[in-house]
Amino acid sequence: MKRIIYLSIFFGVVIFSSCKETPPIEPDVNNITVNNDVKDSLNIAEQLAMLNKAGEFYNVNMKILDGTTPIEGAEVKLTSSLDGELIELIEVSDASGNIIFDEVTVGGNIIEIKKEGYYSALGLIDFKFERGYNYEVIDDVVAPITKNESAIIPLYNKGNGTNTAKIKGKVSIETDLTNSTTEVVKNQLLRADFSGNIVNVSEGISFSEYSLNVEGGLGEAFTNEEGEYEITIPTGNDGVSVNLLIPQLRLKQKLAYFPTDSEEPVLDSVMTTFGHNSMVTDIPFVRGVQVNVPEPEAAGRGFQISNITKAGRQMFGINGGYYSSYRIFSSNENQQRDEMEFLFTPGSGYETIPTVEVSDSTGEGAELIVLGEHAIQSVTLDSSAQYTANRWINFNIRAYYSTSYGSEHYNIFYDNIYTDANGEITQEKIDETLTFAFENRDWFGNNYGFYHGYQVDSIVATFYDSYNTEAKSKINISYDTRIGGLQIESNGENYTDPSISFKGGNPEEAANFEMIEFKTRWNFELDNSNNTSPYVAMPSIGFEYLEENEYMTSDRLVDENGDVKDLSQVTESDAGEVVFADGENYATFFYSVDAPVSFITEPTHSKAELFLDVLNGQIGDWNVSNLSTGRGYTEKFTVEVVPTFPEISGNGAEIQILGGSIKGDEYIWDGNYNIKNRGEGYVHNVNYAEERAFNISANLNNLFLRPQEEFIVEIDYGTGKR
């Protein structure tokens, strides 16, 4: 055997053709020898590479036949590439057509066969490389299992040229998606694959792309200008199994598409892969017609909110409510109402009802009436009159108060009391009768009471005996007076920081009204003094404020009449400045203790967009989508309808913009338009072709050709993968 080694700079480094791991198989120990040279290698892969380079894994036996006749003298060259070296093994078949290759190196193996009077042939060999098949690993040392592989390979006699068949057809492709014509593949070599005629192939090897190695001869053909080809196939006398070697192509394809970093389509040629192993890429939809709309003005910048100050408010009643809302009752706990928090304690021991004062640097007009409340502390009998003995008589306690009609009274207590044998009332009976009242009823003990806000002048106890109406006992009633509440007579206006105090009454403990929080709305100014460019569209304006320890935002305002409006409703541009549209003054809708912080989002001007459809070459709005009215225009604009790219057809269409409104300096289109002329010649999609996968018209897996047969195979590369 002749073994030739070349240094190659153009072959890739391939250690072996297949390295799929399989579960370990217990090898035949009689067939395993451990090469001591590899025991000290660093890892398994290095050991495999060293053993492969030494040819430890494979021997190959081949038989070369012409039909069933052995061919003597056929030269067979087995080439492999390993670590930059090109290794050639050359043998010549004996009288039985047999050839034996010992110590075959695995890696990019190519087989070439030639013999005078025969067509030379060329093919690929793939070797199985699996643990348990051609090697084993014992204690981290690779032990080769040398395999003897075999195959019977045909060679075709030139003298049998009349025993031929033909494969022919046309090769089409889509290299231009923007037209309606399918292109063809020109001057492309197609070759027949005779690998199916290699038989009795053992387990460890496989053959592919076995073709006749003749230039311009049998078994191959170039496509012509029309994309047509015709391959003559040698069949021998008995026919031949054949397939086609259809190459994968890398060609530029013209199409319209949207780059990943742009919303504008481009028309360009993009490198595309075509072939049976290529998936199909979706074809982009790019409208064939576009509506050119002018750009709006540049957006305004620099607007500010300034001079945020408290807005004066009513002292009370800002949240409305029922009758009780017009009174404030004292308590020993903090209270919240009318957007304020306060502590209003009642005091005690007042001799007379005090007056109340409301003070504020800005507010005026609030009127309050102090509501006294009373609790009887004791009812003492000074002397009893003479009543009918052993009889129930009436016992009343009344509160007297003054009205415009004179003195009136209110019954605090009503019951009957029993006189003794002497016809007198005793303290014991009084205490017994009032026990329940002192524990449970208003106006007694710790249960203070009042009557409709009238000021009590005195509390008097009386006894009434219908048999002796003139009898009058002397009763002393001791009661405590404190501040039970405030009657709101007028809410006042323009208050920003009020305080409430009480004067007079000579109390033992004075009542107190401590204002903890008094929330107000906020006035502000629209400040254009720092504008750097004029405004057309309005900025987004809002306020952030603190409420119950949580930051809130709002863009709602109230006008001087209390009508609530969004800030965007009442602002507009005037001569490039942000102003209130109606000239009114506004305050924030919300109330807060601390001044809010304004935040402004500058406007973004955007070009209006209108996407039209095309049907039968004319524009229309049958499937209009993604219409955008744009922002920042100062006047109604005009548009132009044009093909998306100059080289795309279409002309004559006209559109008129209709409708819209004016707000300040800005024209706001509402999306209405009129198609004056639908034009002609426009295309729906710039990419005319539809997605199409690689396809061949016949199944070549089991193709067997006999002499003189013709077989048609149309090849369509489709639209490819970009």
Side-chain angles (χ1 to χ4, degrees):
M1 176 179 68
K2 180 166 62 176
R3 184 180 180 91
I4 305 173
I5 299 178
Y6 300 93
L7 180 64
S8 173
I9 62 173
F10 58 88
F11 269 70
V13 178
V14 182
I15 296 178
F16 46 78
S17 299
S18 175
C19 59
K20 182 179 179 183
E21 187 75 14
T22 60
I25 299 175
E26 187 65 30
D28 181 358
V29 295
N30 295 321
N31 196 30
I32 293 181
T33 58
V34 176
N35 189 328
N36 291 326
D37 295 336
V38 301
K39 283 185 178 181
D40 298 327
S41 297
L42 296 178
N43 54 51
I44 301 300
E46 290 183 352
Q47 296 180 51
L48 290 171
M50 293 178 64
L51 292 169
N52 181 47
K53 191 171 184 178
E56 295 284 347
F57 295 110
Y58 281 104
N59 300 321
V60 180
N61 304 322
M62 300 180 187
K63 181 181 284 290
I64 312 301
L65 298 180
D66 177 359
T68 59
T69 303
I71 300 175
E72 182 180 5
E75 181 182 281
V76 179
K77 180 166 64 175
L78 196 60
T79 305
S80 61
S81 175
L82 188 65
D83 294 336
E85 292 183 339
L86 193 63
I87 303 171
E88 293 183 351
L89 305 178
I90 300 175
E91 293 289 348
V92 177
S93 61
D94 60 17
S96 298
N98 293 324
I99 291 175
I100 298 176
F101 289 100
D102 296 323
E103 300 178 355
V104 175
T105 301
V106 176
N109 297 92
I110 299 173
I111 184 172
E112 296 180 70
I113 306 174
K114 60 183 178 179
K115 164 73 175 175
E116 187 176 352
Y118 288 84
Y119 295 107
S120 59
L122 178 71
L124 304 178
I125 304 179
D126 188 26
F127 286 85
K128 181 178 181 179
F129 221 104
E130 293 182 2
R131 180 177 178 179
Y133 181 77
N134 65 325
Y135 73 93
E136 189 52 81
V137 178
I138 302 173
D139 295 331
D140 294 328
V141 177
V142 176
I145 305 173
T146 304
K147 307 296 292 188
N148 294 306
E149 307 295 346
S150 61
I152 298 175
I153 303 175
L155 207 57
Y156 299 100
N157 194 322
K158 291 181 179 180
N160 293 332
T162 57
N163 290 334
T164 60
K166 290 183 178 179
I167 299 177
K168 62 181 182 179
K170 187 175 182 178
V171 184
S172 56
I173 194 170
E174 290 291 350
T175 54
D176 187 348
L177 301 182
T178 66
N179 62 27
S180 59
T181 304
T182 297
E183 291 73 43
V184 297
V185 179
K186 304 175 183 179
N187 198 34
Q188 177 62 51
L189 178 64
L190 299 177
R191 298 165 61 201
D193 183 3
F194 297 91
S195 301
N197 300 285
I198 301 175
V199 297
N200 293 356
V201 180
S202 59
E203 179 183 355
I205 59 175
S206 61
F207 292 82
S208 62
E209 299 188 22
Y210 184 64
S211 59
L212 303 185
N213 190 21
V214 290
E215 185 175 350
L218 299 182
E220 65 181 23
F222 284 89
T223 56
N224 61 20
E225 289 296 308
E226 286 71 40
E228 298 170 341
Y229 71 96
E230 184 177 294
I231 302 175
T232 301
I233 305 295
T235 61
N237 295 322
D238 300 322
V240 65
S241 295
V242 69
N243 204 332
L244 282 181
L245 299 175
I246 302 174
Q248 191 173 70
L249 304 180
R250 289 275 291 167
L251 301 172
K252 284 194 172 183
Q253 183 183 68
K254 183 179 180 181
L255 78 158
Y257 65 96
F258 292 91
T260 56
D261 57 350
S262 174
E263 295 182 358
E264 294 297 324
V266 297
L267 185 63
D268 198 4
S269 293
V270 178
M271 190 60 70
T272 306
T273 301
F274 300 87
H276 55 87
N277 290 326
S278 300
M279 301 295 291
V280 179
T281 306
D282 292 339
I283 295 176
F285 174 74
V286 179
R287 295 179 186 274
V289 62
Q290 67 181 22
V291 181
N292 287 341
V293 181
E295 294 285 346
E297 302 292 331
R301 293 292 183 269
F303 170 79
Q304 296 176 333
I305 294 292
S306 63
N307 197 25
I308 299 176
T309 58
K310 289 184 176 182
R313 49 161 280 190
Q314 294 181 168
M315 181 74 181
F316 304 100
I318 62 172
N319 293 330
Y322 297 104
Y323 180 75
S324 61
S325 298
Y326 293 94
R327 291 177 180 170
I328 302 175
F329 296 99
S330 59
S331 171
N332 288 317
E333 296 181 355
N334 288 4
Q335 300 182 61
Q336 292 181 340
R337 60 166 291 167
D338 290 328
E339 300 293 346
M340 58 184 176
E341 183 177 356
F342 55 88
L343 177 62
F344 177 17
T345 56
S348 63
Y350 277 90
E351 295 179 2
T352 59
I353 301 301
T355 59
V356 60
E357 293 184 359
V358 180
S359 302
D360 187 83
S361 60
T362 59
E364 61 181 1
E367 295 182 10
L368 305 176
I369 296 177
V370 178
L371 302 178
E373 60 180 6
H374 314 277
I376 297 172
Q377 304 300 306
S378 64
V379 178
T380 304
L381 177 66
D382 289 340
S383 63
S384 174
Q386 193 70 37
Y387 300 98
T388 305
N390 299 320
R391 175 178 171 82
W392 292 99
I393 64 174
N394 295 335
F395 178 21
N396 293 315
I397 299 178
R398 294 170 177 166
Y400 287 84
Y401 56 93
S402 299
T403 71
S404 59
Y405 302 103
S407 179
E408 302 285 345
H409 69 265
Y410 168 72
N411 285 328
I412 297 173
F413 178 82
Y414 175 83
D415 205 344
N416 293 314
I417 192 168
Y418 201 74
T419 61
D420 62 11
N422 299 319
E424 294 183 347
I425 298 167
T426 65
Q427 183 69 45
E428 180 182 2
K429 288 294 183 179
I430 292 174
D431 293 342
E432 180 182 329
T433 303
L434 293 176
T435 297
F436 179 83
F438 271 101
E439 292 179 356
N440 299 285
R441 294 187 60 175
D442 288 346
W443 297 83
F444 290 90
N446 294 321
N447 303 312
Y448 287 79
F450 70 97
Y451 181 65
H452 294 313
Y454 289 106
Q455 303 293 1
V456 172
D457 298 325
S458 62
I459 298 177
V460 177
T462 62
F463 301 94
Y464 178 74
D465 182 1
S466 58
Y467 292 100
N468 185 6
T469 58
E470 298 299 324
K472 304 290 183 182
S473 297
K474 293 182 179 180
I475 302 294
N476 180 39
I477 296 180
S478 173
Y479 60 90
D480 182 51
T481 298
R482 68 180 189 181
I483 308 305
L486 295 172
Q487 177 79 25
I488 302 169
E489 295 294 309
S490 175
N491 291 315
E493 61 182 5
N494 207 31
Y495 285 91
T496 56
D497 189 21
S499 62
I500 296 176
S501 59
F502 301 97
K503 304 295 183 182
N506 195 26
E508 295 178 5
E509 179 183 352
N512 180 55
F513 195 107
E514 177 188 357
M515 188 71 72
I516 299 171
E517 288 185 349
F518 187 79
K519 298 179 181 179
T520 67
R521 287 174 168 153
W522 297 85
N523 295 320
F524 59 93
E525 292 182 2
L526 306 179
D527 186 355
N528 294 278
S529 62
N530 293 313
N531 289 6
T532 58
S533 57
Y535 283 83
V536 179
M538 287 295 90
S540 174
I541 308 169
F543 295 92
E544 183 184 54
Y545 62 99
L546 191 62
E547 181 177 307
E548 302 295 337
N549 295 321
E550 183 176 352
Y551 284 99
M552 312 291 288
T553 60
S554 174
D555 64 350
R556 306 188 74 191
L557 306 178
V558 292
D559 62 16
E560 294 174 346
N561 297 320
D563 295 330
V564 181
K565 299 178 181 179
D566 292 340
L567 211 156
S568 60
Q569 293 178 290
V570 299
T571 53
E572 65 180 22
S573 55
D574 182 12
E577 294 190 344
V578 179
V579 299
F580 287 125
D582 48 18
E584 290 195 31
N585 293 321
Y586 289 89
T588 62
F589 173 71
F590 61 86
Y591 293 81
S592 65
V593 176
D594 299 320
V597 176
S598 65
F599 59 89
I600 297 170
T601 302
E602 295 286 20
T604 299
H605 288 186
S606 59
K607 186 171 70 172
E609 293 181 314
L610 176 60
F611 300 98
L612 298 178
D613 208 348
V614 173
L615 181 65
N616 297 326
Q618 295 186 316
I619 68 166
D621 50 6
W622 306 283
N623 295 303
V624 172
S625 62
N626 299 325
L627 182 148
S628 172
T629 57
R631 288 301 305 271
Y633 289 96
T634 57
E635 60 184 4
K636 185 183 289 188
F637 48 84
T638 59
V639 300
E640 180 186 19
V641 181
V642 297
T644 304
F645 303 102
E647 52 265 64
I648 303 301
S649 65
N651 63 83
E654 293 181 81
I655 290 180
Q656 179 183 8
I657 297 299
L658 300 176
S661 60
I662 300 293
K663 184 179 181 183
D665 295 339
E666 184 179 18
Y667 165 70
I668 303 172
W669 182 40
D670 61 8
N672 193 14
Y673 60 91
N674 173 50
I675 300 178
K676 297 175 62 176
N677 191 333
R678 296 188 181 276
E680 60 183 4
Y682 296 98
V683 297
H684 173 67
N685 186 355
V686 176
N687 296 316
Y688 190 94
E690 295 185 358
E691 175 186 315
R692 196 167 72 250
F694 174 87
N695 182 60
I696 56 176
S697 63
N699 184 356
L700 302 178
N701 289 334
N702 298 303
L703 179 59
F704 188 84
L705 293 180
R706 293 177 175 79
Q708 306 305 311
E709 278 190 313
E710 285 190 356
F711 194 73
I712 306 300
V713 180
E714 306 287 1
I715 302 171
D716 181 8
Y717 275 96
T719 53
K721 177 184 179 182
R722 292 174 295 284

